[in-house]
Amino acid sequence: MNSFLAPRHVNLINACYPSSSVLLAPGSTFHPLPSELSQLVDYASNNVDTSAKLAKLGIELKKQASAKARKGKGGNVRARARLLVTISIFSALAKKCEHDIDVLSTALLSTTKDSLTCLPNNLEVHARVANLFIAWANYTDGAIIGPDIQCTSDYISTLKLFREQCIMTGEDVEAVSRNQLIGLAAINAAIFSDAFFTSSKQFPKLFPKQVAIVVPALLNALHEAGIHAIKDEYKVILTDLPISPLHFSEFPLRPITRGRAASIHAHVDSETRPGLSDVINTSFRVLRTLIGRCNAAQLSIVFDSILQQVDKDNLWENIIISNWYAGHVIAWAQDQHRYAVPTLLVDKLLRIRVSHSSAKHFALVRILTCIFTSSKSMVNPTTSDILSNLVKVLLNRIGINSNDQLVLPLVECISSLGTHVYSAYQINELTEEVVNRIVYVQTNWLPTQGRTGQRPAREVALRCLLSCLSGLPNAADEHAIKHDTKSTGDLSSNDKGISMGARAPLRNRVDLEQWQETLPLLCEPDYAIRAMYARGLAAFIRTELEQEPFVHEEATGASSSRAVKVVVDPQLKSSVMSPYLNPNPISRFLHALHAAAFSLAMATCSVSIATMTWSSPPPEDRQSAKQYAILRRMIGAQSLVPMLSDFSFLRQVLTCALQQVPCRAVLTGVPMLVALARSSRKLEDSVQYVGRLRAIWEMMCHLWVVIGEVWDVPIITECARTALESLHQTILPPLSDVSPTRLDPPEEPIYFPTPLDPLRLDAQGLVNIEVVLPALASSAGLQAITGLDRQGLLRQFTIEWTVEGAVKESIEPTSMWGILRRLVGTSELRKQHGSRQNSMSNSHVPSRIGLHTNKSTPDLIVRAAAIFRPSSNRNSRASTNHSQSFEEDEHQAEDDQSSGSGSGEMSFAASRSSVASRAGYQSNHSSLYSVSSKPASAGPVLSSSSISRLPEILASIERSSRSRQASTTSTPLSSRQRFTQH
């Protein structure tokens, strides 16, 4: 009723209400009068002082709605009807004045809160209030949420009230479903609004608070229905069927059509009644909307809330639901933000401090595995950090309880991290991290136990890490094959027990130096570790070592056999210095492999397998320290006793090397076989080594057969088979097809059979070295590839081989002296230092393995490298710059030396090290190396002219050095004069 004393805006509002008789009449829709409502809207939307008008209208509507809501709570039907009209008036104003919606926000949110609080069970009021909230959510920019404390409080309270609608229960299925659908529609509008996400930038605590309210409302119906109903309803969503408009209109998609917002209504006769399937369908869509709009930080909060709800409902044992959530959260999230989910899960695993693993821990690991193996890839994930943390969790669990059931799922999870190849170097980075942990555990035991830890825990840790080491590249390869990616090899011809499939084309080969660090595991005291490592090593050689170009692999009927032959072009004429004679990562890996194989074969025997020429490495010599560490790990296991099956593994590994890289494997491996044959002869008189002697000789017979077949030398094959037949009893057992990625129970060793007939002193069963070496050296293919004649190959095969020497050859030299020593050899250098070298020539170490020199020799080599100049015009500018740098270092060195003080000597040594470091770079551009026609990967080739010049240069440098030392005692010269004289 209008009043002449009331303000105009109050009269306009009052005029919109129908009379009491109309409101309470049957079939009333409880809507305001259309014409009066139009006048009110025109008054509010007039451009003159619109904000002030809306503020006054909002206050008045809020006052009337609150009063009528309180009366309606007591059962006043007329007040409830007028409340519905008031809410409709509010909705009309909100839709018409969308640009000034923030002016109405405080009154509007207070009205929705009071209405829902006073009438919690009135479905029609809830539907009308939800329409009002949806209109506000669609038009607000969210700027008022956060700064305005009262408005923010009403907004959060309204979300909580709608959540209560979503989780309500009751016997009336239709009423419960309608209330849940109304609550879901309101929550969906809130998620689409700017208020839900924009406010989180300035008020970071507000977003987690909203998520904690929303997520339980969305998951309630899903957990109530079960996994089967979830899957069935999700199939309906995939068909993109629209939501039935009989229950509430389709979700508003921003920007919504101007002037209209979605509406929700209560039940109408003849309409289909909603059920649980409609609620599940709606929950899916709202959850997908929420996840799709989140950035990385927000996605982490949402998924954490999902896990908390799973924990609250005690659903960890239902791993299917957990995996379903993980897979679909990853699928719904934006590509660049998906990494937040596994990062969150790993952080949760790191917080595990209990001694016994629970169902929650198993579920978290399974969820991670599901994410890593899903078809959805991630953008720029921090795989190295994830792997490091997972390995930390693995070792912690093993340290607490080596029989923890969580260990196996963790290993599978870590291996699955290599499924998606995001960068070419990803697998290399992951394997490097695993190798570092392997070396640490091998030398320091477990972080949680130290050196006093239990031995089984160390064994379990190493076996788990080995499974991860093989599993990471295998996961990438299997994923590539599964998705029909073009492979680099023929899987049908590979040995299932060795090779794990074709290599994925998107990733680089695993770095040889990484696996080289793990080769001492062949000499581990625990047989289970040795066996598992040998299987992984064989697979690594087959898949990661780049096959030499002249190797031809023939198809065989049996999957466990492999026919490999070297096919050389008859027109091939190799240079005098073939790239296959120069050290490279493959040759260094093979040297370390043969040293480990020899150490295992001759372990705990009275025969000395290495001569340690130093008791401890000098602290300033990193290369010597590394050699010492490797030797200590390789031959330091005093309790190592090789079993019969160890020799089967050695045969398998060495056979793979001979077939994959036959040239380098022969050049580095034949000297080891000769040394092994010579050392094993000393075991003939010992009764306790009868079985081992038979195993060694039988293994060498098989290896010589492989060498003869690969290089097509029938004499070698026939001689080896004759020696094998003369044993009269072969004892090496066949190996089972077990993937190195499987973490099965520890493999039991196969012991030597007893009794065994002792071998005769006439070397029964030993391959005749005097026959096979000349035959192999006469191979036309080997001569063409290496560029060596028969005598040169024989010298190569008959050098004095030791474990220590092989370890030295397996380490890349870090100094210019080491590089020149390996390239030139010691024979040319010793000619210039006859008297000095004669006093140091008691060592019989060959020139390819070691060199004993006096103190001044490294200085001479450094100076020789520093004065070399490029012989070609190519890169002349760069060469000139490097030459100037060397001259400056020489000047500084001479100035420091002329002072005669201790600090001067130190400065001269530092300058010399600087010259050496630059010489290493200079050597690639100087005339010291000649350009070879071979691939660049083969390394630089030393020219014959440089070799002939080097002794002369060394001698001249030494003479000039003596003359300078003599002149410094008579007449002092300036540094420039001394350098000019030099």
Side-chain angles (χ1 to χ4, degrees):
M1 179 180 295
N2 292 337
S3 174
F4 292 104
L5 299 177
R8 182 184 178 188
H9 67 277
V10 175
N11 290 329
L12 289 174
I13 293 174
N14 293 333
C16 295
Y17 291 95
S19 62
S20 300
S21 59
V22 175
L23 281 176
L24 300 177
S28 175
T29 58
F30 308 109
H31 281 90
L33 298 174
S35 59
E36 285 74 6
L37 180 63
S38 178
Q39 293 179 12
L40 175 63
V41 171
D42 290 341
Y43 166 79
S45 59
N46 193 336
N47 293 332
V48 179
D49 203 11
T50 303
S51 298
K53 295 176 183 178
L54 286 176
K56 292 187 292 183
L57 289 173
I59 293 173
E60 180 63 24
L61 289 172
K62 171 190 173 183
K63 182 172 63 174
Q64 294 191 20
S66 300
K68 294 175 176 62
R70 288 192 297 268
K71 292 179 181 179
K73 182 180 180 181
N76 191 326
V77 179
R78 182 174 177 275
R80 182 182 66 84
R82 292 183 66 86
L83 174 63
L84 292 174
V85 175
T86 304
I87 296 174
S88 297
I89 296 173
F90 233 137
S91 298
L93 287 174
K95 295 173 184 178
K96 187 64 178 179
C97 306
E98 56 187 81
H99 298 295
D100 298 312
I101 191 67
D102 286 342
V103 179
L104 291 173
S105 294
T106 303
L108 189 150
L109 291 174
S110 177
T111 300
T112 57
K113 183 194 73 171
D114 294 341
S115 301
L116 293 174
T117 302
C118 295
L119 299 169
N121 298 320
N122 194 299
L123 183 61
E124 197 162 7
V125 172
H126 290 179
R128 198 69 60 90
V129 172
N131 270 320
L132 175 61
F133 182 79
I134 289 174
W136 172 84
N138 274 276
Y139 300 133
T140 184
D141 59 1
I144 198 171
I145 303 300
D148 191 325
I149 299 177
Q150 182 61 41
C151 187
T152 304
S153 175
D154 292 340
Y155 169 71
I156 296 298
S157 299
T158 302
L159 285 181
K160 291 180 179 180
L161 291 170
F162 282 123
R163 179 192 61 185
E164 296 301 321
Q165 283 189 267
C166 294
I167 63 176
M168 72 176 301
T169 58
E171 296 180 357
D172 190 346
V173 177
E174 180 185 357
V176 170
S177 299
R178 288 189 181 278
N179 272 285
Q180 291 177 344
L181 289 173
I182 291 172
L184 289 173
I187 288 177
N188 177 75
I191 292 173
F192 264 111
S193 70
D194 291 334
F196 199 88
F197 293 94
T198 306
S199 58
S200 62
K201 297 179 180 179
Q202 297 179 349
F203 302 91
K205 294 183 180 180
L206 188 57
F207 182 81
K209 186 181 295 186
Q210 297 177 82
V211 171
I213 297 171
V214 166
V215 169
L218 301 179
L219 302 185
N220 177 72
L222 303 182
H223 293 173
E224 205 177 287
I227 187 62
H228 298 293
I230 291 176
K231 290 182 177 179
D232 293 340
E233 201 59 38
Y234 187 71
K235 293 178 182 178
V236 178
I237 295 179
L238 293 179
T239 60
D240 289 330
L241 294 177
I243 301 177
S244 174
L246 300 178
H247 312 306
F248 59 95
S249 64
E250 58 198 22
F251 288 149
L253 299 176
R254 301 189 81 250
I256 197 167
T257 304
R258 180 178 179 85
R260 298 188 61 186
S263 61
I264 304 174
H265 57 80
H267 174 64
V268 178
D269 292 337
S270 76
E271 289 185 351
T272 304
R273 297 181 177 181
L276 182 60
S277 61
D278 300 293
V279 179
I280 296 174
N281 188 296
T282 306
S283 300
F284 272 143
R285 296 176 185 271
V286 179
L287 183 61
R288 182 169 60 181
T289 300
L290 173 61
I291 294 173
R293 297 197 65 196
C294 290
N295 57 29
Q298 295 165 348
L299 181 62
S300 178
I301 295 172
V302 170
F303 194 72
D304 187 25
S305 182
I306 292 175
L307 296 180
Q308 292 178 13
Q309 188 64 25
V310 171
D311 191 16
K312 180 180 178 181
D313 295 340
N314 197 19
L315 295 176
W316 291 118
E317 295 182 358
N318 193 342
I319 191 63
I320 300 178
I321 289 184
S322 302
N323 288 347
W324 191 93
Y325 277 138
H328 287 80
V329 166
I330 290 295
W332 294 338
Q334 301 178 40
D335 294 354
Q336 67 271 25
H337 303 319
R338 290 173 177 169
Y339 69 89
V341 176
T343 303
L344 170 69
L345 294 171
V346 173
D347 290 341
K348 285 185 172 295
L349 285 173
L350 283 173
R351 299 193 197 106
I352 297 177
R353 292 292 182 267
V354 296
S355 58
H356 298 286
S357 301
S358 63
K360 176 181 178 180
H361 305 148
F362 281 94
L364 292 177
V365 175
R366 295 295 184 188
I367 292 173
L368 272 173
T369 307
C370 178
I371 292 173
F372 294 149
T373 57
S374 67
S375 59
K376 303 294 183 180
S377 61
M378 292 175 282
V379 177
N380 296 326
T382 54
T383 52
S384 298
D385 295 339
I386 293 175
L387 176 73
S388 178
N389 290 329
L390 285 177
V391 171
K392 187 184 300 183
V393 173
L394 174 65
L395 296 181
N396 287 339
R397 299 311 303 172
I398 296 174
I400 296 173
N401 181 11
S402 59
N403 297 321
D404 196 335
Q405 299 298 319
L406 189 62
V407 169
L408 181 58
L410 274 171
V411 172
E412 295 175 354
C413 179
I414 294 173
S415 300
S416 66
L417 192 57
T419 300
H420 294 284
V421 178
Y422 305 106
S423 65
Y425 298 97
Q426 173 192 338
I427 302 299
N428 274 328
E429 294 174 354
L430 298 181
T431 53
E432 181 180 5
E433 176 66 26
V434 176
V435 167
N436 291 338
R437 296 302 181 100
I438 289 175
V439 174
Y440 181 84
V441 172
Q442 187 187 12
T443 55
N444 300 283
W445 295 46
L446 290 184
T448 56
Q449 292 182 331
R451 301 292 293 183
T452 61
Q454 298 178 356
R455 197 171 189 82
R458 178 179 180 273
E459 176 188 345
V460 172
L462 286 175
R463 292 180 64 244
C464 290
L465 292 174
L466 288 176
S467 179
C468 297
L469 184 62
S470 300
L472 286 168
N474 184 47
D477 299 339
E478 286 185 349
H479 181 74
I481 296 173
K482 185 188 224 180
H483 290 75
D484 296 326
T485 308
K486 184 179 179 181
S487 61
T488 57
D490 186 8
L491 183 61
S492 60
S493 63
N494 287 344
D495 184 357
K496 296 179 182 178
I498 302 176
S499 180
M500 298 172 290
R503 184 172 59 87
L506 297 179
R507 70 173 180 89
N508 290 347
R509 298 181 184 272
V510 177
D511 193 357
L512 293 178
E513 294 182 358
Q514 297 176 7
W515 266 81
Q516 185 174 327
E517 293 290 331
T518 65
L519 284 173
L521 289 176
L522 275 179
C523 304
E524 264 293 308
D526 295 311
Y527 172 79
I529 298 175
R530 297 199 305 269
M532 189 170 186
Y533 178 74
R535 294 184 187 277
L537 179 60
F540 169 79
I541 294 174
R542 289 285 295 270
T543 56
E544 302 301 332
L545 258 69
E546 185 176 2
Q547 196 175 56
E548 292 177 344
F550 43 79
V551 175
H552 177 69
E553 188 168 352
E554 299 177 353
T556 58
S559 61
S560 60
S561 61
R562 186 185 184 198
V564 174
K565 283 191 177 181
V566 174
V567 179
V568 181
D569 186 0
Q571 304 298 326
L572 175 64
K573 294 190 180 294
S574 180
S575 60
V576 177
M577 296 296 291
S578 171
Y580 291 97
L581 299 178
N582 293 335
N584 74 339
I586 296 180
S587 63
R588 288 191 287 268
F589 174 81
L590 293 175
H591 279 299
L593 171 62
H594 294 135
F598 186 94
S599 301
L600 174 60
M602 300 301 297
T604 66
C605 296
S606 58
V607 180
S608 176
I609 64 175
T611 303
M612 302 293 290
T613 56
W614 60 82
S615 58
S616 61
E620 70 276 2
D621 192 349
R622 295 182 180 179
Q623 186 175 356
S624 298
K626 190 173 182 180
Q627 294 172 8
Y628 180 83
I630 293 176
L631 277 173
R632 183 168 57 86
R633 291 171 56 204
M634 190 175 296
I635 64 178
Q638 302 297 331
S639 59
L640 171 61
V641 178
M643 302 298 175
L644 178 60
S645 48
D646 281 319
F647 294 93
S648 295
F649 284 118
L650 285 180
R651 171 194 169 188
Q652 183 187 61
V653 171
L654 296 177
T655 298
C656 290
L658 290 170
Q659 293 177 338
Q660 193 73 10
V661 283
C663 182
R664 286 191 170 90
V666 164
L667 293 176
T668 59
V670 168
M672 186 275 292
L673 293 178
V674 175
L676 183 59
R678 181 173 60 252
S679 300
S680 62
R681 291 293 301 271
K682 301 178 181 180
L683 306 178
E684 291 177 329
D685 297 334
S686 178
V687 178
Q688 68 181 44
Y689 296 127
V690 172
R692 190 190 299 194
L693 184 60
R694 276 186 172 274
I696 292 174
W697 287 5
E698 182 179 343
M699 178 191 69
M700 289 196 299
C701 288
H702 288 294
L703 293 178
W704 280 111
V705 168
V706 173
I707 293 174
E709 292 176 347
V710 169
W711 291 99
D712 195 16
V713 183
I715 298 177
I716 298 178
T717 305
E718 182 180 353
C719 181
R721 287 176 176 167
T722 302
L724 188 61
E725 293 174 358
S726 64
L727 289 173
H728 301 298
Q729 182 182 3
T730 56
I731 60 175
L732 289 185
L735 298 176
S736 59
D737 288 344
V738 178
S739 174
T741 61
R742 291 176 54 186
L743 194 63
D744 294 326
E747 190 171 349
E748 294 297 329
I750 301 177
Y751 297 92
F752 292 100
T754 54
L756 283 174
D757 297 332
L759 298 174
R760 304 298 178 187
L761 295 180
D762 56 356
Q764 172 189 354
L766 185 61
V767 177
N768 192 345
I769 299 299
E770 296 180 357
V771 175
V772 295
L773 289 186
L776 181 60
S778 302
S779 172
L782 187 58
Q783 293 180 6
I785 294 171
T786 60
L788 299 178
D789 57 7
R790 183 175 181 273
Q791 294 300 325
L793 287 173
L794 281 176
R795 285 194 298 268
Q796 181 77 20
F797 295 151
T798 56
I799 62 172
E800 184 179 353
W801 188 94
T802 62
V803 172
E804 180 185 345
V807 171
K808 289 181 180 179
E809 290 293 318
S810 68
I811 299 175
E812 184 177 6
T814 57
S815 63
M816 191 64 192
W817 163 245
I819 296 173
L820 290 176
R821 185 194 66 189
R822 290 193 179 184
L823 289 175
V824 181
T826 58
S827 57
E828 294 291 340
L829 302 181
R830 285 176 177 172
K831 293 179 182 179
Q832 303 301 325
H833 309 282
S835 59
R836 298 182 184 180
Q837 288 295 104
N838 289 336
S839 62
M840 305 289 293
S841 61
N842 295 330
S843 174
H844 298 284
V845 180
S847 61
R848 291 181 63 256
I849 296 179
L851 173 65
H852 298 281
T853 62
N854 58 13
K855 230 176 193 181
S856 64
T857 307
D859 300 338
L860 300 177
I861 293 296
V862 170
R863 294 172 182 268
I867 65 173
F868 278 165
R869 295 293 183 266
S871 58
S872 62
N873 294 328
R874 187 167 58 95
N875 296 330
S876 59
R877 181 177 299 177
S879 302
T880 303
N881 294 336
H882 295 316
S883 302
Q884 295 173 357
S885 299
F886 288 134
E887 291 178 1
E888 292 173 1
D889 288 331
E890 286 291 340
H891 298 168
Q892 182 64 32
E894 295 293 345
D895 292 336
D896 293 336
Q897 190 179 23
S898 63
S899 63
S901 62
S903 60
E905 294 176 0
M906 295 176 61
S907 301
F908 180 76
S911 176
R912 189 171 62 232
S913 64
S914 173
V915 174
S917 63
R918 297 189 183 183
Y921 181 80
Q922 167 76 2
S923 60
N924 291 328
H925 302 279
S926 68
S927 61
L928 181 63
Y929 299 111
S930 63
V931 180
S932 173
S933 60
K934 297 299 177 183
S937 60
V941 179
L942 194 66
S943 63
S944 57
S945 61
S946 298
I947 296 176
S948 60
R949 289 177 54 207
L950 185 58
E952 178 183 354
I953 294 173
L954 293 176
S956 63
I957 292 176
E958 185 176 9
R959 288 194 299 270
S960 62
S961 177
R962 291 174 181 173
S963 63
R964 285 198 307 272
Q965 291 177 1
S967 61
T968 53
T969 58
S970 56
T971 304
L973 299 177
S974 65
S975 60
R976 174 60 63 179
Q977 289 175 336
R978 288 196 299 272
F979 181 78
T980 304
Q981 182 182 17
H982 164 69

